[in-house]
Amino acid sequence: MTPSKRVALGWWIAGLVAFGIVIWLGMPLAIETVPGGILDHQHAPDAETVNRIQHAWRDAGVLGTARNAMIGDLVFIGIFGIGCVLCGLHFRAREQVVLRAIGWSALVAGLIFLVADYGETISQLVQLVRFAGDDDLAAIASGLRPIKVAAWIGGFLAVMLALIVERLSSRAS
């Protein structure tokens, strides 16, 4: 079953809104000793760095904020990832070859994003809940970060490009 454009774009746009909310939730985590906030935690290559960041957050009174931001991130990941997959399914069912190709790109990017960002965020959240860094989980999170960023960009651009191509095609008709 091919999702309607309305349903697919609804999920995708809701994912963008959720992304904005997650950024807003994480803003208080950018403190003097952790200037990159949640991004520093995502980048942390080892348990020692994770522990330093989490202790700084605890000392600043924002450890609960970090937890809420990571839980919010899990929600965002699902909404945006599903949105990309649904948009991909919608556009790959179109008649135009270029829209089908872009649809496949959005679909694949969405799936990669879901796996990579859930892997990263769950690895982070486990360390936060335990309040103890773990070298393996830190390596997983920091290793998945560039993959999820590339997949997010790819999914976003694929959907935007599909919308532009569709719009230009309808004008040419």
Side-chain angles (χ1 to χ4, degrees):
M1 182 174 124
T2 302
S4 71
K5 182 178 177 182
R6 182 173 180 242
V7 168
L9 284 177
W11 276 87
W12 186 75
I13 291 168
L16 294 176
V17 170
F19 183 56
I21 293 169
V22 168
I23 289 171
W24 176 77
L25 286 172
M27 288 175 71
L29 301 175
I31 59 176
E32 185 177 333
T33 53
V34 188
I38 200 85
L39 298 177
D40 285 354
H41 199 275
Q42 292 171 352
H43 259 288
D46 53 40
E48 181 181 339
T49 307
V50 170
N51 288 334
R52 180 187 57 74
I53 292 167
Q54 292 182 167
H55 281 85
W57 284 343
R58 182 193 61 196
D59 295 346
V62 294
L63 202 57
T65 302
R67 182 195 65 239
N68 292 339
M70 288 183 196
I71 291 169
D73 198 19
L74 293 173
V75 174
F76 148 70
I77 293 163
I79 297 169
F80 183 77
I82 289 169
C84 285
V85 168
L86 292 175
C87 284
L89 290 170
H90 172 77
F91 287 112
R92 77 176 184 140
R94 307 295 291 188
E95 288 183 29
Q96 287 181 278
V97 173
V98 69
L99 281 176
R100 287 199 311 259
I102 295 169
W104 275 107
S105 298
L107 174 63
V108 170
L111 292 172
I112 293 170
F113 174 76
L114 284 164
V115 171
D117 206 0
Y118 271 134
E120 176 201 57
T121 304
I122 290 168
S123 296
Q124 285 184 270
L125 188 57
V126 167
Q127 293 176 92
L128 187 74
V129 168
R130 290 180 182 167
F131 196 67
D134 178 281
D135 284 331
D136 292 333
L137 291 174
I140 290 168
S142 63
L144 287 173
R145 185 173 187 279
I147 297 167
K148 72 104 185 234
V149 168
W152 188 93
I153 292 168
F156 177 82
L157 292 177
V159 173
M160 290 299 296
L161 184 58
L163 291 169
I164 291 167
V165 168
E166 184 178 61
R167 176 77 171 203
L168 293 174
S169 298
S170 68
R171 283 187 175 173
S173 300

